[in-house]
Amino acid sequence: MKKLLSTLLFTLLIPTASAELTVSGCEHPFIDIAGHFAEDEICFLYQNGVVEGYSERNFSPDTEVTRAEFLKISLVNLGYTVYSVQSASFTDIAPGEWYYPFVTFARSKGFVSGYNDGSFHPNAPITRAEALSMAIQVAGITDYEVYNFESRFSDVSGDDWFAAAVMVGIEYGIIEGYGDGSFRPHNNSTRGEASVLSERIWKELY
């Protein structure tokens, strides 16, 4: 009996993993986002069940995010009830894959169109331009055109396929460039960047 009580007491005294707090007081379990530019946004999305970590204590904010992962974040972030739509599948999207309902649902709603060969490339990294365009489509901001385009960024012109999305991003205050005046549209987006974009869109719409 004494041995059992001693064991229980020892167990109770073992420190458990403590929660982390952002400067604003948001509680999260991730030890690898302290001081990161996206810490508050990641915490906000985590608290709302939009994002998860790669492990119990790690979020990996600087890891590239895939097209399927970002699509899921965008849909969950805006509260869509997602379901599979078999007729809306792509050539590289098969039933049983975790992203099947998200991708087919999004295609049935016209949020994504994929590539000319009928594929979606779910596991490919998503670029900053692709992420912005996808997020805007999922958010339902579709009534925009490029008129008198004046680029705030040195590497975005009115001829770019993503020019209209960039204009919307600027108008709604959901994107920022880099210190050198560029947007770097073709750079792959990270999990941290995806979180910032998603959090800003949620706050803009709600």
Side-chain angles (χ1 to χ4, degrees):
M1 185 63 179
K2 288 184 179 180
K3 183 177 181 180
L4 176 61
L5 290 174
S6 177
T7 301
L8 289 173
L9 180 60
F10 177 75
T11 302
L12 290 173
L13 291 176
I14 295 176
T16 57
S18 60
E20 308 295 325
L21 291 175
T22 67
V23 174
S24 63
C26 182
E27 185 176 303
H28 64 84
F30 308 119
I31 60 175
D32 61 347
I33 66 173
H36 194 275
F37 71 84
E39 181 180 10
D40 277 310
E41 289 83 358
I42 292 169
C43 187
F44 175 84
L45 296 180
Y46 171 78
Q47 288 287 349
N48 285 280
V50 177
V51 298
E52 301 174 346
Y54 273 131
S55 67
E56 183 180 350
R57 299 286 278 164
N58 289 281
F59 184 78
S60 301
D62 297 318
T63 298
E64 293 177 348
V65 63
T66 69
R67 287 168 55 79
E69 288 172 337
F70 184 76
L71 179 57
K72 177 184 176 180
I73 290 172
S74 298
L75 292 170
V76 174
N77 183 46
L78 296 184
Y80 284 97
T81 300
V82 176
Y83 50 85
S84 299
V85 183
Q86 187 173 359
S87 61
S89 187
F90 291 98
T91 56
D92 55 351
I93 303 294
E97 300 288 355
W98 70 262
Y99 46 72
Y100 183 82
F102 296 98
V103 176
T104 58
F105 173 83
R107 190 182 193 188
S108 73
K109 298 298 182 182
F111 299 154
V112 296
S113 56
Y115 295 88
N116 292 332
D117 63 358
S119 63
F120 181 73
H121 299 182
N123 296 313
I126 192 168
T127 66
R128 285 167 54 82
E130 290 173 335
L132 176 60
S133 299
M134 185 183 291
I136 288 173
Q137 289 292 322
V138 172
I141 309 173
T142 58
D143 55 341
Y144 55 83
E145 299 290 343
V146 179
Y147 295 116
N148 301 319
F149 184 85
E150 294 184 9
S151 179
R152 178 182 297 179
F153 305 114
S154 59
D155 53 356
V156 178
S157 71
D159 296 328
D160 291 320
W161 67 265
F162 49 81
V166 170
M167 287 189 66
V168 171
I170 293 172
E171 180 181 347
Y172 280 75
I174 58 178
I175 61 172
E176 295 177 3
Y178 292 87
D180 61 0
S182 66
F183 179 64
R184 304 180 192 178
H186 304 297
N187 281 15
N188 292 334
S189 181
T190 65
R191 284 165 57 82
E193 290 174 332
S195 297
V196 171
L197 177 59
S198 299
E199 188 265 359
R200 288 178 179 174
I201 285 182
W202 189 92
K203 285 191 172 179
E204 180 62 37
L205 295 181
Y206 297 101

